[in-house]
């Protein structure tokens, strides 16, 4: 019996179709990874294709690792020559070899989101942009969208004619690009854009990779944006052996620039394309799939398909409606505890999914109280923590001296008596001379008005130069140890003497573990500093999910894509929350369709049991909000739900409201909002707060930010917070319920 006999009819058809363009519409849980891996095996075993002529692109490092493992198992010898990687990793590999043809140095740095923010701050300051009107994150988002569509700063400027706001963005975009180039750095979008530019301008490089990658496969094709589409199109142009796998019903990354038209219009771009649908699901029960089909069929912008299974009907979907968000969290936590106590499940069999990050807080509190281990996927990324960013900045400076941001970050960390005035003078001199910040430091005595600081700058340069020479002969682990020893970074942390400092030291230990793991993983190749920094830059949040540990997973629906669990709870199924209020009131009907696809993704994460929950009222911004059941819930046939009389009850409770009813409800709402928090959360002056100025806190709606001011009032504190995403907000401590991070 051959390995292909284990596949169903449609899967085999997809494996055997190797020549020309192919679109595989693979529904959730239909075994698409299995098809892809068997297709690679078929190309090598039966068609005699060289492994190095195959390119397989995925969206996460985790998916790439899984695919490589599975191909290894099937094929064995020769599979290591196949390129299995993410879009970004593929582009980095190509650029490391050829970016010098575009005028960059091959030792370029990759800027993460924090580096981009810092650079944008500098650009806005230099161009005297009012960041209250033009917020930095909005400027970065506009630039990212332009890059996704392959629009250069010059083109952006032309398109902005007559639009004052866009002209401002064009000016910022130009300067931002100029600074990136000067720093010999690329942001994430650049990795793709520069690769496309390389192929467009260097025909011999393009020809090399077209010959190299005669067979191209792309996973999660529904999530591709314009630049990714263009990259694939150019690469596949010569041999046209392009196989894309995706599910238009799981296209949920519009906010990141994903263009659903790439999959919907595939046959128009590649007219001779073959389309194969994989509709048999191997993951979920019949009831769960029927519910998912019933919801998604309400979308118009999709290709017709319907999931089915041989797994049996299974239990009905549990639907529970609660009085408040607290009751909802309490029920879910209690239900999980019961499953584990009676021995039917472990903690990691359960996942709680929700629409926004802010919803996690209530669950976290309940899990802590119930002593249940949990993990938030998509919380603070390990690599975004201060101490990790500091040490990585040292490594970046040693690897690429042109990276101004990295140098400026560590010039006074730990403190060396180099103040902001000195740093600004160095920066101004660097801009005047048109050289990097580090180059300017090397000639510190030439900087006007630098005075006594010159000797401090010289000793910093001497330290970095020492590390650079050591790096040539040392492993990365030893180099990191040398940095810690010579800078006294850990001693500096210890001198703080608080619990937080201990946690930070533990994080540094974890970074050492990461370096050691990287050096081990390089088996045949020499581990390099730039290779390590590259790997770190390309790590996604979801990659940190450790499946061997026993904890309940909490995550947003966006983070859950591609995962599956025996027990899934979909919380907060209310109109105004999911779909969001913004979506409901939007004039664009595709917005609700995007949210419905997100609901479909959530439902299809469940293998055996699915629980849908909602609450009649919820605290939002310190006020009670009354919500109706989500319209997505109402799209599920009642016979699939185990509800008792809950739905009927809901319908009675929320009748068509007349003016009297609305006024009555508004009165109740106000009264509730006035009384409850005063009882529970009044903060008196004597009590104090759990956080102080300069510390980071988390708000249930606005996310994380830095406390910049606390004013004592009569009965409460007024807290000013610089949030990472929404800017500066002032709020009363009573209602804000800020938690120290």
């Amino acid at each position: 019996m051959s390995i292909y006999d284990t596949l169903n009819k449609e899967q085999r058809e997809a494996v055997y179709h190797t020549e020309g363009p192919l679109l595989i519409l693979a529904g959730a849980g239909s075994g698409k990874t299995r098809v892809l891996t068997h297709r690679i095996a078929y190309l090598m075993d039966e068609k005699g294709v060289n492994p190095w002529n195959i390119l397989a692109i995925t969206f996460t490092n985790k998916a790439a690792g899984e695919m490589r493992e599975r191909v290894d198992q099937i094929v064995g010898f020769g599979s290591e020559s196949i390129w299995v990687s993410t879009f970004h990793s593929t582009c980095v590999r190509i650029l490391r070899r050829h970016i010098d043809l575009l005028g960059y140095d091959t030792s370029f740095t990759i800027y993460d989101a924090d580096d981009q923010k810092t650079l944008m701050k500098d650009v806005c300051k230099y161009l005297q942009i009012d960041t209250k009107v033009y917020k930095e994150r909005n400027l970065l988002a506009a630039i990212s969208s332009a890059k996704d569509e392959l629009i250069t700063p010059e083109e952006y400027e032309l398109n902005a004619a007559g639009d004052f706001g866009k002209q401002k963005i064009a000016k910022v975009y130009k300067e931002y690009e100029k600074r990136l180039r000067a720093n010999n750095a690329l942001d994430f979008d650049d990795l793709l854009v520069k690769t496309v530019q390389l192929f467009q301008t260097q025909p011999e490089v393009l020809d090399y990779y077209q010959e190299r990658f005669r067979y191209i496969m792309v996973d999660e094709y529904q999530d591709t944006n314009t630049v990714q589409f263009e990259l694939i199109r150019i690469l596949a142009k010569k041999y046209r052996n392009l196989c894309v796998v995706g599910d238009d019903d799981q296209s949920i990354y519009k906010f990141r620039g994903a263009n659903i038209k790439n999959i919907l219009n595939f046959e128009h771009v590649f007219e001779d394309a073959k389309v194969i649908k994989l509709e048999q699901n191997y993951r979920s029960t019949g009831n769960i799939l029927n519910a998912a089909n019933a919801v998604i069929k309400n979308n118009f912008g999709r290709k017709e398909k319907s999931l089915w299974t041989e797994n049996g009907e299974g239990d009905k979907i549990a639907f529970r409606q609660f009085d408040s968000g607290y009751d909802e969290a309490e029920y879910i936590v209690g239900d999980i505890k019961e499953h584990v106590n009676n021995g039917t499940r472990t903690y990691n069999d359960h996942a709680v999914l929700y629409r926004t990050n802010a919803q996690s807080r209530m669950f976290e509190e309940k899990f802590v109280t119930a002593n249940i281990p949990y993990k938030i996927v998509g919380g603070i990324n390990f690599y975004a923590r201060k101490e990790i960013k500091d040490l990585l900045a040292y490594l970046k400076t040693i690897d690429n001296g042109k990276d101004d941001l990295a140098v400026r970050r560590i010039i006074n960390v730990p403190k060396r008596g180099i103040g902001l005035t000195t740093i600004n003078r160095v920066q101004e001199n660097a801009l005047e001379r048109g050289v990097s910040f580090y180059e300017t430091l090397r000639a510190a005595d030439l900087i006007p008005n630098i005075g006594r600081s010159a000797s401090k700058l010289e000793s910093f340069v001497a330290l970095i130069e020492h590390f650079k020479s050591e790096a040539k002969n040392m492993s990365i682990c030893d180099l990191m140890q040398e940095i810690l020893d010579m800078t006294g970074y850990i001693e500096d942390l210890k001198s703080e003497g608080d619990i937080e400092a201990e946690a930070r030291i533990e994080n540094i230990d974890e970074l050492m573990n990461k370096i050691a793991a990287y050096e081990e993983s390089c088996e045949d190749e020499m581990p390099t500093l730039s290779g390590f920094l590259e790997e770190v830059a390309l790590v996604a949040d979801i990659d940190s999910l450790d499946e061997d540990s026993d904890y309940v997973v909490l995550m947003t629906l966006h983070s859950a894509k591609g995962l599956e669990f025996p027990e899934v709870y979909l919380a907060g199924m209310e109109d105004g929350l999911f779909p969001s209020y913004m979506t409901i009131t939007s004039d664009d009907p595709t917005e609700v369709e995007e949210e419905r696809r997100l609901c479909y993704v959530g439902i299809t994460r469940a293998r055996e049991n699915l629980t849908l929950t909602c609450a009649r009222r919820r605290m939002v911004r310190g006020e009670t909000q009354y919500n109706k059941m989500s319209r997505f819930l109402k799209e599920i046939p009642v016979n699939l739900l185990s509800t008792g009389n809950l739905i009927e009850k809901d319908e009675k409770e929320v009748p068509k409201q007349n003016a009297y009813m609305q006024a009555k409800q508004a009165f109740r709402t106000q009264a509730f909002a006035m009384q409850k928090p005063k009882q529970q959360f009044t903060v008196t002056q004597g009590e104090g707060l759990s956080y102080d100025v300069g510390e980071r806190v988390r708000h249930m709606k606005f996310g994380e930010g830095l406390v910049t001011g606390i004013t004592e009032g009569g009965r409460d504190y007024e807290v000013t917070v610089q949030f990472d995403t929404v800017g500066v907000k002032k709020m009363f401590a009573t209602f804000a319920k800020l938690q120290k991070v």
Side-chain angles (χ1 to χ4, degrees), residues 16-71:
Y16 296 156
H17 186 91
T18 57
E19 308 306 303
L22 170 67
L23 167 62
I24 303 173
L25 284 171
S30 60
K32 63 181 174 75
T33 312
R34 189 179 170 90
V35 169
L36 279 177
T37 48
H38 280 70
R39 198 169 184 274
I40 295 171
Y42 184 75
L43 282 168
M44 288 167 62
D45 286 349
E46 307 295 325
K47 290 282 180 176
V49 175
N50 294 317
W52 53 86
N53 290 142
I54 300 172
L55 169 66
I57 294 180
T58 62
F59 264 78
T60 65
N61 295 315
K62 184 169 180 276
E66 276 176 15
M67 191 177 288
R68 182 175 287 289
E69 246 173 65
R70 285 165 77 165
V71 171

Side-chain angles (χ1 to χ4, degrees), residues 436-452:
S436 72
F437 188 91
Y438 188 71
E439 282 300 310
T440 312
L441 288 179
R442 291 178 71 169
D445 49 345
L446 301 176
I447 303 168
N449 308 320
I450 203 74
R452 284 181 294 181

Side-chain angles (χ1 to χ4, degrees), residues 71-118:
V71 171
D72 278 348
Q73 284 166 10
I74 301 172
V75 181
F77 183 72
S79 66
E80 66 282 348
S81 310
I82 305 166
W83 270 34
V84 184
S85 62
T86 63
F87 270 104
H88 290 101
S89 301
T90 303
C91 292
V92 168
R93 281 177 80 172
I94 294 168
L95 292 174
R96 284 277 182 231
R97 285 182 68 178
H98 306 285
I99 200 168
D100 52 334
L101 296 169
L102 296 178
Y104 285 79
D105 193 314
T106 51
S107 64
F108 58 84
T109 302
I110 303 167
Y111 275 5
D112 64 12
D114 279 8
D115 297 330
Q116 286 176 266
K117 278 180 203 161
T118 311

Side-chain angles (χ1 to χ4, degrees), residues 686-705:
E687 229 177 290
L689 297 171
S690 62
Y691 47 83
D692 209 343
V693 174
E695 290 183 324
R696 287 185 68 76
V697 290
R698 186 186 289 125
H699 185 275
M700 67 187 292
K701 178 173 186 290
F702 302 129
E704 289 185 12

Side-chain angles (χ1 to χ4, degrees), residues 369-380:
T369 314
N371 204 17
I372 291 176
Y374 70 92
K375 178 171 182 175
I376 293 182
V377 176
I380 270 203

Side-chain angles (χ1 to χ4, degrees), residues 20 50-51 104 144 161 206 247 250 256 263 315 321 323 351 387 469-470 565 594 620 651 677 699 707:
N50 294 317
Y104 285 79
S144 181
L206 174 60
D247 180 5
Q250 294 187 70
R256 282 190 199 162
I263 191 164
D315 292 340
Q321 189 177 28
D323 192 42
E387 60 281 10
S469 65
E470 291 289 302
F565 302 89
E594 177 96 354
V620 179
E651 297 297 345
H699 185 275
V707 180

Side-chain angles (χ1 to χ4, degrees), residues 135 171 218 237 248 316 373 410 449 457 526 675 738:
K135 291 193 166 56
K171 204 174 171 186
V218 184
K237 199 171 180 182
D248 50 307
K316 285 190 174 186
I410 56 165
N449 308 320
L457 296 178
M526 268 296 288
Q675 291 161 9
L738 297 168

Side-chain angles (χ1 to χ4, degrees), residues 122-399:
D122 292 349
V123 169
C124 290
K125 195 175 171 185
Y126 175 72
L127 296 174
Q128 294 177 323
I129 300 284
D130 183 355
T131 51
K132 286 191 176 76
V133 180
Y134 299 96
K135 291 193 166 56
E136 288 144 1
R137 66 189 174 94
N138 294 349
L139 290 167
L140 282 167
I143 292 170
S144 181
S145 295
K147 288 182 177 181
D148 282 352
E149 296 299 322
L150 285 168
I151 299 166
T152 63
E154 292 71 30
E155 284 176 79
Y156 199 96
E157 196 170 30
L158 283 171
N159 298 339
D163 185 327
F164 182 74
K166 281 194 171 170
Q167 283 172 339
K168 271 275 196 264
I169 296 170
K171 204 174 171 186
V172 170
Y173 187 6
K174 239 177 175 170
E175 184 61 28
Y176 174 81
E177 283 299 284
K178 189 178 153 190
R179 299 266 178 122
L180 275 175
R181 188 175 269 267
N183 290 356
N184 193 37
L186 302 178
D187 62 21
F188 264 95
D189 299 310
D190 280 335
L191 296 175
L192 296 152
V193 171
K194 297 297 175 201
T195 310
V196 171
Q197 283 176 3
L198 183 73
F199 288 160
Q200 287 171 339
T201 58
Q202 309 295 326
E204 67 286 355
V205 176
L206 174 60
D207 190 60
Y208 170 79
Y209 284 104
Q210 284 178 336
E211 283 295 331
R212 170 83 196 258
F213 303 129
R214 295 184 182 198
Y215 292 86
I216 299 170
M217 278 163 264
V218 184
D219 195 8
E220 305 287 1
Y221 189 68
Q222 75 280 348
D223 295 333
T224 53
N225 56 27
T226 304
V227 65
Q228 288 164 335
F229 165 76
E230 191 56 24
L231 179 75
I232 294 299
R233 193 190 65 77
I234 293 175
L235 266 179
K237 199 171 180 182
K238 189 168 184 178
Y239 287 99
R240 304 187 83 251
N241 298 325
L242 172 63
C243 165
V244 301
V245 185
D247 180 5
D248 50 307
D249 291 334
Q250 294 187 70
S251 177
I252 57 172
Y253 291 121
K254 189 179 171 186
F255 66 98
R256 282 190 199 162
N259 186 351
I260 193 169
K261 286 180 181 161
N262 288 352
I263 191 164
L264 294 177
N265 299 341
F266 186 81
E267 302 105 298
H268 300 300
V269 178
F270 301 93
E271 287 175 5
D272 56 337
K274 185 170 175 67
V275 180
I276 296 171
K277 294 180 185 177
L278 303 182
E279 295 172 296
Q280 184 176 354
N281 176 288
Y282 294 92
R283 177 189 296 156
S284 309
T285 62
N287 281 332
I288 292 169
L289 294 181
N290 292 338
N293 289 331
V295 170
I296 202 66
K297 75 168 192 263
N298 293 282
N299 273 6
F300 293 103
R302 66 185 290 263
K303 290 181 179 287
E304 192 53 46
K305 61 183 150 325
S306 186
L307 296 180
W308 61 278
T309 185
E310 292 175 348
N311 290 348
E313 280 192 3
D315 292 340
K316 285 190 174 186
I317 295 160
F319 167 58
R320 301 285 180 268
Q321 189 177 28
F322 300 95
D323 192 42
S324 70
Y326 280 98
D327 297 339
E328 176 189 53
E330 199 145 72
Y331 169 79
I332 290 174
V333 170
D335 202 42
I336 293 171
K337 199 163 185 129
E338 192 179 322
H339 290 168
V340 175
N341 287 348
N342 63 27
T344 56
R345 295 281 190 220
T346 55
Y347 287 123
N348 61 4
D349 286 335
H350 301 82
V352 182
L353 311 180
Y354 35 76
R355 179 65 186 85
T356 63
N357 272 310
Q359 287 167 260
S360 73
R361 185 189 62 86
M362 214 166 284
F363 291 108
E364 283 190 79
E365 285 176 5
K366 299 287 181 194
F367 279 125
V368 168
T369 314
N371 204 17
I372 291 176
Y374 70 92
K375 178 171 182 175
I376 293 182
V377 176
I380 270 203
N381 189 334
F382 177 78
Y383 298 104
R385 294 169 186 168
K386 181 185 177 300
E387 60 281 10
I388 303 301
K389 285 198 74 76
D390 286 349
L391 294 171
L392 288 177
Y394 268 104
L395 294 178
K396 284 176 186 177
T397 304
I398 297 162
D399 188 47

